[in-house]
Amino acid sequence: MAASIREKQTAALKRMLNFNAPPLKNTTESVWKVLIYDRFGQDIISPLLSVKELRDMGITLHLLLHTDRDPIPDVPAIYFVMPTEENTDRICQDLRNQLYESYYLNFISAISRSKLEDIASAALAANAVNQVTKVFDQYLNFITLEDDMFILCNQNKEHISYHAINKPDIMDTDMEAIMDTIVDSLFCFFVTLGAVPIIRCPRGNAAEMVAVKLDKKLRENLRDARNSLFTGDTMGTGQFSFQRPLFVLADRNLDLATPLHHTWTYQALIHDVLDFHLNRVSVEESQGSEASPAGARPKKKNKKSYDLTGADKFWQKHKGSPFPEVAEAVQEELDTYRAQEDEVKRLKSIMGLEGEDDGAISMLSDNTAKLTSAVSSLPELLEKKRLIDLHTNVATAVLDHIKSRKLDVYFEYEEKLMSKSTLDKSLLDIISDPDAGTVEDKMRLFLIYYITSQQPPSEADLEQYKKALVDAGCDLSSLNYIKQWKAFTKMAATPANYGSSGVKPMGLFSRVMNTGSQFVMEGVKNLVLKQHNLPVTRILDNLMEMKSNPETDDYRYFDPKMLRGSESSIPRNKNPFQEARQGKRVLYGCSELFNAAQFMKQLSQLGQK
């Protein structure tokens, strides 16, 4: 399993865009074609392939299925859509209107026989049977955001959200539909990964329902040897591999504190305080830096979007670093670039491009390889400047939130709560301090205290906290839900243990405190992270190492490759293969990737019921 899931899904997409044939390495000639996708397809492709990469593969036009599209009679069209009723009807309409020369239909998830027959009859009626060249089930119904991280969906995610699964009035049929949606995406994930997992899950919750259904689906597919998706050339060397992934399914209820926790690393902060969505971040920037005259209307804010991709080396290196380190690193990059700025001016003047837009020049890189080395280094320098500007803007926006909401104080305090360290000031003080954080920050802090406390606060104390929260302007409906949840899960008896970690404040920022720095970090604590031992990490460790632990001893075990599913098939002892395998890779996936604000909204909705 050397290739990451990102590489595997990207390779599958490239193969699909090459009419389901492996892309040839050396050919520069590519057939011009049109890509038609729905919102689901768009979400899968956009984090993996840029517009430029699509163009290089011959995609001249990419359009949404449900838009008015003009006929382009001499071009082949590649469709990448979900097999829904609405989509198949539209494909039938396209066939009747004879929009394209030929049709390559790729369904994100397996299409049912009845829908396939509908398309076939429409093709017959429109006399377009010969033009429907290929129909493929792609099994790509999940979104890869990083080398080792995926989410199940983005469109209609509210249908499989925490709120949807935990609402008290959910019907059994709705629950079945949610589980089927989740299982379909997970099945696609393992088909793309090319491996049949061993599944472990706790008993008696949604995770177990998903595990049972997924085991059944994998088992049925493996039993049908002729059509199995886990044998033959799709697997490469997969079937000869001794390694099989261990798939641990966990329910969000296992740990409700972590998603509410204020964060301190770059990527987590961006996700928490900015609009960060499918690897794209939107930042509001005010027009011009000069202050508006008194009484003038505030200037309109512009929204700017940036893609944070795997190709951005700074992002790859620093996304997991504590924010102060990132601010220093951006400042260093900026200083280095300023030293090279004269070089950029000199290169621009050599090429006669003084007034040109930087973006236009960076596009020249492919076509001007024949020019001198000066020319080839210019686009590289400009790309470097683009990335520095991007991170300067994003980090500045994050810093504004940290300073205005005292996020460093919240982060440090919550770390102490979660690691049961001694607290230097009372919770009431922070809740009552009008300058510390937003209403939501205060509520998040209190919920973490409530979830992680060994003993829930006494009624009198709770009333005092509630009064302080209401005075601060908080909505207490999320607390109502957490109280019910804590009573129901009897978590009071065994609260999730968050390990004894914490943070230690370091000395003042060295580089960033310079007067010439972009980042004015005065008053912000320089906190350094320590290793955390969160519930999910601990469970995964127990299951991978086969440690006996009351937390995981009761977990169910499924092996879809076993002829009969029996609980007795749990391997009790380690074998030499497991002993020999030191380098373990962990992939993370979730049904929905929300930030704390989105999660709070769901908790409040549940608390109002």
Side-chain angles (χ1 to χ4, degrees):
M1 294 181 354
S4 68
I5 188 64
R6 185 194 229 153
E7 288 163 343
K8 288 193 174 187
Q9 195 176 25
T10 308
L13 286 172
K14 286 183 171 174
R15 188 185 172 110
M16 174 190 88
L17 295 173
N18 198 43
F19 305 117
N20 287 297
L24 296 166
K25 290 273 189 317
N26 309 327
T27 54
T28 47
E29 284 295 303
S30 53
V31 182
W32 298 117
K33 45 203 175 251
V34 179
L35 172 63
I36 311 293
Y37 46 45
D38 59 2
R39 293 268 178 217
F40 286 89
Q42 186 179 27
D43 288 342
I44 292 166
I45 291 172
S46 68
L48 296 175
L49 296 170
S50 66
V51 173
K52 184 178 183 305
E53 285 172 295
L54 290 176
R55 206 176 298 138
D56 291 345
M57 291 164 70
I59 304 289
T60 50
L61 208 56
H62 38 97
L63 303 164
L64 280 164
L65 177 67
H66 296 280
T67 49
D68 294 332
R69 288 171 279 116
D70 296 328
I72 312 176
D74 49 354
V75 168
I78 295 174
Y79 284 72
F80 184 50
V81 295
M82 284 294 272
T84 60
E85 189 93 24
E86 198 185 4
N87 286 350
T88 48
D89 288 353
R90 187 61 190 250
I91 290 169
C92 296
Q93 190 185 321
D94 287 358
L95 292 170
R96 283 194 292 276
N97 296 343
Q98 299 188 341
L99 290 188
Y100 308 109
E101 176 192 61
S102 54
Y103 301 83
Y104 292 79
L105 306 179
N106 297 280
F107 293 100
I108 295 171
S109 172
I111 187 171
S112 67
R113 183 161 185 109
S114 63
K115 291 200 182 92
L116 208 51
E117 284 168 359
D118 292 346
I119 294 176
S121 11
L124 268 171
N127 199 10
V129 176
N130 295 338
Q131 288 160 296
V132 180
T133 318
K134 282 181 182 174
V135 180
F136 269 88
D137 286 335
Q138 290 292 349
Y139 294 100
L140 290 173
N141 188 15
F142 61 97
I143 301 169
T144 307
L145 296 177
E146 309 215 343
D147 283 348
D148 47 15
M149 185 177 158
F150 67 97
I151 56 174
L152 299 190
C153 67
N154 177 47
Q155 300 298 320
N156 304 345
K157 61 183 174 194
E158 62 283 356
H159 296 336
I160 60 166
S161 66
Y162 180 82
H163 172 260
I165 294 172
N166 288 281
K167 61 184 183 192
D169 55 351
I170 186 166
M171 313 266 287
D172 285 356
T173 47
D174 294 345
M175 194 63 162
E176 283 291 312
I178 292 172
M179 296 300 126
D180 287 340
T181 307
I182 292 173
V183 167
D184 180 66
S185 285
L186 289 172
F187 181 76
C188 290
F189 171 78
F190 285 110
V191 171
T192 307
L193 193 64
V196 180
I198 284 164
I199 306 168
R200 303 294 307 267
C201 71
R203 293 171 188 272
N205 57 20
E208 183 179 27
M209 294 168 73
V210 171
V212 170
K213 279 177 175 283
L214 181 61
D215 175 61
K216 181 169 179 264
K217 190 161 182 155
L218 288 164
R219 207 174 276 280
E220 282 168 1
N221 190 267
L222 289 165
R223 201 179 296 139
D224 179 4
R226 229 181 47 205
N227 298 314
S228 174
L229 297 158
F230 293 97
T231 52
D233 65 328
T234 51
M235 290 271 290
T237 55
Q239 68 266 45
F240 304 116
S241 168
F242 291 114
Q243 297 184 17
R244 280 176 63 194
L246 167 69
F247 179 48
V248 181
L249 264 164
D251 194 301
R252 177 73 273 162
N253 282 321
L254 176 81
D255 171 14
L256 289 186
T258 305
L260 296 169
H261 187 18
H262 286 85
T263 54
W264 197 237
T265 56
Y266 191 34
Q267 185 176 28
L269 272 166
I270 290 173
H271 186 231
D272 191 357
V273 303
L274 302 178
D275 177 10
F276 185 42
H277 191 64
L278 297 182
N279 293 350
R280 170 168 288 187
V281 61
S282 298
V283 180
E284 279 192 352
E285 43 176 41
S286 49
Q287 292 288 78
S289 52
E290 70 279 358
S292 307
R297 283 162 76 185
K299 298 202 168 165
K300 189 172 168 290
K301 292 196 168 183
N302 263 356
K303 265 213 155 182
K304 236 185 157 176
S305 291
Y306 303 104
D307 288 314
L308 297 169
T309 64
D312 177 345
K313 289 195 179 67
F314 185 89
W315 175 242
Q316 288 306 318
K317 186 176 173 188
H318 292 290
K319 63 186 177 187
S321 305
F323 185 75
E325 279 179 32
V326 176
E328 290 201 14
V330 173
Q331 190 60 43
E332 272 173 40
E333 293 278 329
L334 205 56
D335 295 347
T336 319
Y337 180 77
R338 280 184 182 143
Q340 295 172 325
E341 210 156 23
D342 297 340
E343 177 71 355
V344 172
K345 286 184 183 141
R346 192 178 67 77
L347 293 174
K348 275 189 173 180
S349 66
I350 290 174
M351 293 172 68
L353 292 169
E354 277 99 335
E356 284 292 328
D357 170 50
D358 289 354
I361 300 172
S362 62
M363 296 296 275
L364 292 171
S365 54
D366 300 339
N367 316 331
T368 54
K370 298 187 189 78
L371 288 175
T372 60
S373 60
V375 177
S376 61
S377 60
L378 181 62
E380 202 177 294
L381 283 169
L382 292 175
E383 175 61 10
K384 199 171 176 185
K385 179 175 188 297
R386 184 186 73 81
L387 291 176
I388 292 168
D389 289 348
L390 181 162
H391 287 290
T392 305
N393 292 346
V394 171
T396 306
V398 170
L399 182 61
D400 289 345
H401 280 274
I402 292 175
K403 287 162 74 170
S404 65
R405 291 162 56 183
K406 296 196 178 170
L407 296 184
D408 48 343
V409 175
Y410 277 92
F411 170 69
E412 190 179 19
Y413 199 89
E414 287 164 2
E415 288 275 311
K416 286 177 177 169
L417 279 176
M418 290 166 86
S419 60
K420 314 272 184 288
S421 312
T422 46
L423 304 169
D424 50 358
K425 61 160 118 175
S426 85
L427 186 61
L428 267 176
D429 288 352
I430 298 185
I431 294 172
S432 314
D433 179 356
D435 296 332
T438 60
V439 174
E440 189 183 85
D441 291 326
K442 295 177 195 293
M443 200 65 214
R444 279 164 66 179
L445 174 65
F446 182 72
L447 289 179
I448 289 173
Y449 160 70
Y450 193 85
I451 291 166
T452 56
S453 57
Q454 301 277 5
Q455 291 292 315
S458 66
E459 277 304 314
D461 286 354
L462 190 58
E463 283 310 313
Q464 203 180 353
Y465 283 128
K466 280 168 125 176
K467 183 181 182 311
L469 287 164
V470 170
D471 290 349
C474 296
D475 169 14
L476 298 183
S477 36
S478 50
L479 176 62
N480 299 341
Y481 175 71
I482 293 291
K483 278 174 77 172
Q484 294 163 18
W485 166 80
K486 197 156 180 169
F488 177 69
T489 49
K490 302 189 178 63
M491 285 291 276
T494 55
N497 178 12
Y498 289 88
S500 55
S501 79
V503 287
K504 54 176 193 285
M506 291 285 284
L508 282 173
F509 303 94
S510 51
R511 193 176 187 96
V512 191
M513 289 303 278
N514 296 347
T515 44
S517 162
Q518 284 286 126
F519 302 98
V520 185
M521 304 285 277
E522 267 167 312
V524 177
K525 295 184 181 184
N526 189 359
L527 302 168
V528 173
L529 300 173
K530 277 185 171 177
Q531 198 56 46
H532 248 310
N533 200 5
L534 296 174
V536 175
T537 323
R538 223 173 31 248
I539 285 166
L540 186 62
D541 187 46
N542 290 340
L543 294 173
M544 279 167 82
E545 302 298 334
M546 296 187 197
K547 295 175 184 169
S548 178
N549 187 300
E551 214 172 2
T552 50
D553 284 348
D554 195 30
Y555 271 46
R556 289 192 66 179
Y557 178 99
F558 299 88
D559 184 349
K561 282 191 170 181
M562 291 284 187
L563 291 174
R564 275 188 309 282
S566 72
E567 291 280 324
S568 61
S569 52
I570 301 183
R572 290 290 173 208
N573 55 348
K574 295 188 179 186
N575 61 36
F577 277 116
Q578 278 149 335
E579 289 293 352
R581 205 169 83 230
Q582 285 305 310
K584 296 184 176 70
R585 273 185 72 170
V586 181
L587 276 86
Y588 290 95
C590 55
S591 52
E592 172 194 22
L593 188 65
F594 45 59
N595 65 15
Q598 292 156 340
F599 189 42
M600 287 284 289
K601 195 171 165 190
Q602 293 190 32
L603 293 177
S604 296
Q605 286 170 339
L606 287 166
Q608 286 159 8
K609 294 221 159 75

